[in-house]
Amino acid sequence: MSVPIRRFADGNTDRMEIEGSRVLVAGATGGLGRRISRALSDEGARLMLAGRDEESLEALASELDVSHTATFDAMDTEGCAALTSHAARELGGLDALVIAFGTVAFGPEADVEDSVAEHMFQINTLAPIAMLRAAESELEQGGTVAAITAVTAEYPTAGMATYSASKAALSAWLQAMRAEYRRKHVHVLDIRAPHMDTGLAHRALAGTAPRNLPEPFPIDEFVQALVEALRSQAEHLAFDPRTRRLGKG
Ligand SMILES: NC(=O)c1ccc[n+]([C@@H]2O[C@H](COP(=O)([O-])OP(=O)(O)OC[C@H]3O[C@@H](n4cnc5c(N)ncnc54)[C@H](OP(=O)(O)O)[C@@H]3O)[C@@H](O)[C@H]2O)c1
């Protein structure tokens, strides 16, 4: 039987002790998810890697020497909610949930079909919310919930209106939930990620990425900043498009 591990050194709730913490990474096989999983694993976190493709999950788990994996589909809201309790059971408790899955679509809104908009809100907004809600009861000893929203949540972007709205909705939910979570000693981290070259744009649900996408931000720098934001219990990690800097606060 696994023994729950305290995640804060000396009871200090200002910093997260990543080594030994039990973390569910949902969307672990994505471009960002796998880099985040590797960084957390390198720091000694005990991970459950969750994704929709079993084969990619198993390959990643063997690469990172992680023994806990789980499949989920973000189209299945109930399955998303069940994932957190499954992770807590397997890991002997849960200290953090990191949500790194999502999808995008491009183009004039007149061309975006209702089914695409529904699909995007399901994956980018409703599925994360279902997981985050369920996590509240699993993070019994306090902890952290973190979700990758996007810079477009703060700076809604033409040609990506539905995507921007789906991310802004999740970001608003995280902000509104902060006080409720805080009462349970759960920190909330909103990661408003900049554009990066992960291939997400080429896997769009619909439309083609505009040619004038900004210069991609370096993924290593982003992942390092994300881990630091987790460690320091920051409330958000945000990108300033004018200075092209990531800042936490
Ligand atoms: N890359 C960027 O420029 C950028 C910028 C801002 C925000 N973000 C956000 O960062 C997150 C990760 O994106 P990424 O760049 O790593 O893109 P990615 O490489 O395409 O990864 C997307 C992840 O979402 C998963 N996913 C998609 N639909 C799913 C479903 N129905 N059920 C379960 N998982 C599903 C994918 O699973 P598979 O591995 O099975 O395909 C993959 O793991 C997304 O929320 C994205 O919006 C990215």
Side-chain angles (χ1 to χ4, degrees):
M1 194 179 105
S2 18
V3 179
I5 295 171
R6 283 198 63 82
R7 48 193 288 284
F8 302 114
D10 306 325
N12 175 6
T13 55
D14 292 338
R15 282 180 81 74
M16 173 177 175
E17 188 68 61
I18 291 178
E19 184 172 5
S21 62
R22 299 154 298 185
V23 185
L24 167 60
V25 182
T29 55
L32 295 179
R34 62 180 53 240
R35 303 286 277 271
I36 294 164
S37 301
R38 171 174 293 284
L40 292 174
S41 167
D42 286 350
E43 295 233 6
R46 292 171 54 208
L47 301 180
M48 167 164 279
L49 305 173
R52 69 177 157 177
D53 182 62
E54 196 164 356
E55 216 173 295
S56 326
L57 264 181
E58 292 313 323
L60 181 65
S62 112
E63 199 182 309
L64 301 183
D65 200 18
V66 166
S67 43
H68 300 285
T69 60
T71 53
F72 75 97
D73 190 328
M75 298 304 287
D76 168 17
T77 309
E78 266 180 43
C80 288
L83 182 64
T84 56
S85 52
H86 176 64
R89 265 197 316 277
E90 292 285 309
L91 297 172
L94 195 64
D95 299 304
L97 162 65
V98 178
I99 294 186
F101 61 89
T103 191
V104 71
F106 300 105
E109 276 301 295
D111 295 350
V112 175
E113 289 177 19
D114 289 343
S115 61
V116 169
E118 281 171 18
H119 196 139
M120 196 144 48
F121 266 84
Q122 172 63 31
I123 294 176
N124 288 352
T125 318
L126 298 174
I129 288 175
M131 258 180 218
L132 288 157
R133 259 203 215 112
E136 199 179 341
S137 49
E138 299 302 336
L139 294 162
E140 289 165 344
Q141 299 170 308
T144 299
V145 290
I148 305 182
T149 58
V151 62
T152 55
E154 204 176 353
Y155 300 94
T157 304
M160 302 168 71
T162 302
Y163 175 75
S164 300
S166 70
K167 293 296 193 176
L170 179 57
S171 188
W173 190 91
L174 291 167
Q175 192 179 333
M177 278 298 288
R178 196 159 269 126
E180 195 173 314
Y181 274 122
R182 192 179 296 128
R183 284 195 285 279
K184 299 191 168 180
H185 307 285
V186 175
H187 295 263
V188 177
L189 173 60
D190 178 2
I191 305 155
R192 297 182 213 128
H195 170 59
M196 283 168 282
D197 201 0
T198 60
L200 170 74
H202 306 295
R203 291 186 277 277
L205 282 178
T208 311
R211 287 196 195 156
N212 62 348
L213 277 178
E215 175 82 6
F217 192 81
I219 300 176
D220 284 344
E221 198 179 321
F222 168 77
V223 172
Q224 209 180 349
L226 187 157
V227 172
E228 199 40 53
L230 276 174
R231 199 193 323 274
S232 62
Q233 304 288 17
E235 292 190 349
H236 62 260
L237 181 65
F239 180 70
D240 182 335
R242 281 164 301 133
T243 60
R244 293 195 47 80
R245 289 219 164 135
L246 276 176
K248 62 184 170 70

